[in-house]
Amino acid sequence: MPRPHILITKRVFPETIALLEPHAELDYVANDDGLTTDELVESARGKQVILSQITDRLSREVLAKLTDVKLIAQIAVGYDNIDVPAATEAGILVSNTPGVLTDTTADLAFALLLAAARRIAEGHQYIHAGKWTRWTIDLMMGHDIHHRTLGVWGMGRIGQAVARRGLGFSMRVLYHNRTRLAPEIERELNAEYVTQDRLLAESDFISVHVPLSEKTRHLIGERELRMMKKDAILVNTARGPIVDEPMLARALREKWIAAAGIDVFEHEPTVHPDLLACENAVLAPHVGSASVATRTRMTVMAAENAIAMIAGKRPPNLVNP
Ligand code: GLV
């Protein structure tokens, strides 16, 4: 039987390659630039599986040209870079890496929340700039986290993990989600289901955990930012386009809200210059799942989906079964 072929579109880890090598011929693009769309289409010829990353744009037009591909094994939980309905129509399965990155991403959301509230990045810069010449009673005053209200928008795995962290800080937890959680989970998380508008109006912190889709694009725009409390803090570790970025910059500049902690941007790796100019925005370069252990597990999980596929088994993490 001819050996199956796998395309790996961008650099992964040696462990990932070692895992795949016994099972297939690998076309490994071992650099961080990855492939242009044309190169990807060209390289995908004769490949049954593609190991993709969030920077690969797999549009309907591209997918239609991937005639040999049976599975796209995405190394991420989010897959808005892939037109999944178009993949389904083209007979291509898509898998992702859920679960393994839940707590790591929730940790980062909480790190941004804490950093924005207690002005950690600003303080760090202040010291490095040699501006700290004396202690004063109101130096770098921020906002309390404990005993305040955490609003989780999108209560899937990551949202629930953030809510759990909120409990550890004695916070009151509100949430909004497409569907309400089962009563026992609500009880465990001590989380109250509220409308979007109540979440916006009552939360001191809003952390966003919805997937990006046409429904959630600019979910948080002018109206929503104006509804938030003046001392509220917004955290986004989901996807950049969920928040209207120039509007967020305006809200931060004009103090409609107090601060923001942002890990994802509308046009990565470009950050809107207005947002860069906001001292009250703590920014991270899309690193929600970027711990050594978790990124390794994500690539292994994608590789396991690929191996299942070429063995004629059902990949365990399909998003379009
Ligand atoms: C990263 O952004 C992911 O979706 O896993």
Side-chain angles (χ1 to χ4, degrees):
M1 222 174 80
R3 264 165 75 80
H5 288 74
I6 299 179
L7 170 64
I8 302 164
T9 62
K10 237 175 141 161
R11 191 169 59 84
V12 288
F13 304 113
E15 293 91 321
T16 332
I17 300 301
L19 193 61
L20 287 168
E21 245 163 6
H23 301 273
E25 292 300 320
L26 305 183
D27 180 356
Y28 178 27
V29 182
N31 67 54
D32 294 325
D33 294 330
L35 301 167
T36 64
T37 303
D38 288 344
E39 287 165 349
L40 190 143
V41 169
E42 185 60 35
S43 302
R45 278 213 191 103
K47 310 283 160 48
Q48 289 76 51
V49 177
I50 299 181
L51 239 69
S52 66
Q53 300 191 31
I54 55 170
T55 42
D56 297 315
R57 304 247 60 97
L58 295 160
S59 62
R60 176 173 287 273
E61 196 194 342
V62 173
L63 290 162
K65 294 178 187 157
L66 306 182
T67 44
D68 299 317
V69 175
K70 300 282 175 273
L71 172 72
I72 296 170
Q74 165 100 337
I75 309 171
V77 70
Y79 44 84
D80 48 278
N81 58 309
I82 307 170
D83 186 333
V84 175
T88 308
E89 282 169 40
I92 302 174
L93 294 170
V94 178
S95 64
N96 68 342
T97 61
V100 291
L101 49 65
T102 300
D103 282 310
T104 302
T105 307
D107 283 349
L108 187 87
F110 231 83
L112 288 172
L113 183 156
L114 294 168
R118 299 303 304 271
R119 304 175 61 181
I120 292 175
E122 251 183 284
H124 178 90
Q125 276 182 343
Y126 183 79
I127 291 177
H128 275 273
K131 291 186 186 162
W132 190 28
T133 54
R134 60 189 170 173
W135 189 91
T136 60
I137 195 74
D138 58 356
L139 181 63
M140 289 277 158
M141 289 194 300
H143 300 272
D144 275 330
I145 294 115
H146 65 90
H147 297 98
R148 295 182 76 229
T149 300
L150 170 64
V152 180
W153 197 334
M155 199 59 146
R157 281 176 289 253
I158 299 172
Q160 290 179 35
V162 169
R164 233 168 248 123
R165 282 155 180 73
L167 289 184
F169 280 76
S170 308
M171 298 176 93
R172 168 186 176 222
V173 179
L174 305 178
Y175 79 97
H176 184 76
N177 198 43
R178 266 176 313 188
T179 51
R180 196 169 163 172
L181 297 178
E184 59 274 18
I185 303 178
E186 279 189 356
R187 263 197 305 279
E188 185 216 321
L189 298 175
N190 199 17
E192 184 186 349
Y193 180 73
V194 293
T195 60
Q196 294 185 5
D197 284 1
R198 260 194 74 194
L199 190 96
L200 287 162
E202 290 182 30
S203 302
D204 298 309
F205 299 88
I206 294 183
S207 193
V208 183
H209 301 286
V210 298
L212 175 63
S213 69
E214 280 323 304
K215 284 206 186 78
T216 61
R217 190 173 295 275
H218 286 191
L219 184 69
I220 299 198
E222 180 169 4
R223 174 184 169 275
E224 291 70 27
L225 289 160
R226 285 193 187 276
M227 279 185 74
M228 289 172 67
K229 292 183 177 179
K230 290 259 172 302
D231 60 354
I233 291 175
L234 177 71
V235 175
N236 186 9
T237 54
R239 282 293 182 266
I242 293 166
V243 176
D244 179 340
E245 202 169 302
M247 197 57 74
L248 171 64
R250 187 171 160 209
L252 290 168
R253 194 175 57 238
E254 297 179 4
K255 307 281 188 291
W256 309 349
I257 64 172
I262 306 292
D263 181 47
V264 286
F265 302 87
E266 281 202 90
H267 305 288
E268 293 175 11
T270 304
V271 177
H272 196 287
D274 292 355
L275 194 56
L276 287 176
C278 294
E279 278 190 339
N280 48 352
V282 182
L283 311 177
H286 199 150
V287 290
S289 60
S291 72
V292 176
T294 293
R295 281 286 164 84
T296 306
R297 271 191 225 119
M298 288 163 67
T299 66
V300 166
M301 196 168 185
E304 286 167 354
N305 279 277
I307 293 165
M309 185 76 205
I310 57 190
K313 297 192 192 122
R314 182 190 164 100
N317 306 106
L318 293 178
V319 302
N320 61 347

